[in-house]
């Protein structure tokens, strides 16, 4: 499990969904300007859904690596020699 952070910089609340192996699932409403810390498997996927007039709108889809806590050193990029 990895330490992750998400900062909702938008003026609207969003729903963060994190889905990983072995039935890992996390869903959290994150209010405007809120910083949400969470732990998730390194291979999990993260989605950020914004509230819209007609329901939810997917605004961001990424890997947990995109949300790793800045306190941790970045993972080496195997594509860089």
């Amino acid at each position: 499990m990895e330490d992750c952070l998400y900062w909702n910089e938008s003026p609207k609340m969003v729903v963060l969904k994190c889905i990983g192996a072995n039935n890992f699932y996390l869903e959290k409403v994150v209010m405007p300007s809120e910083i949400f810390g969470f732990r998730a498997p390194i291979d999990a996927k993260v989605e950020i859904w914004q509230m819209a007039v007609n329901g939810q709108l997917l605004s961001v889809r990424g890997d947990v690596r995109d949300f790793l806590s800045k306190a941790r050193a970045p993972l080496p990029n195997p594509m860089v020699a």
Side-chain angles (χ1 to χ4, degrees), residues 20-80:
N22 298 322
N23 296 320
F24 179 85
Y25 184 78
L26 171 69
E27 184 171 324
K28 168 80 165 90
V29 172
V30 184
M31 302 305 287
S33 301
E34 181 180 356
I35 298 172
F36 174 57
F38 60 101
R39 293 184 54 79
I42 194 67
D43 62 344
K45 303 295 182 196
V46 177
E47 297 177 344
I48 306 295
W49 294 80
Q50 290 185 342
M51 300 297 106
V53 175
N54 297 330
Q56 294 182 3
L57 173 69
L58 179 62
S59 64
V60 175
R61 178 178 283 153
D63 296 324
V64 160
R65 285 180 172 85
D66 300 331
F67 297 88
L68 290 177
S69 171
K70 299 297 185 214
R72 178 189 164 152
L75 294 173
N77 185 344
M79 301 304 289
V80 176

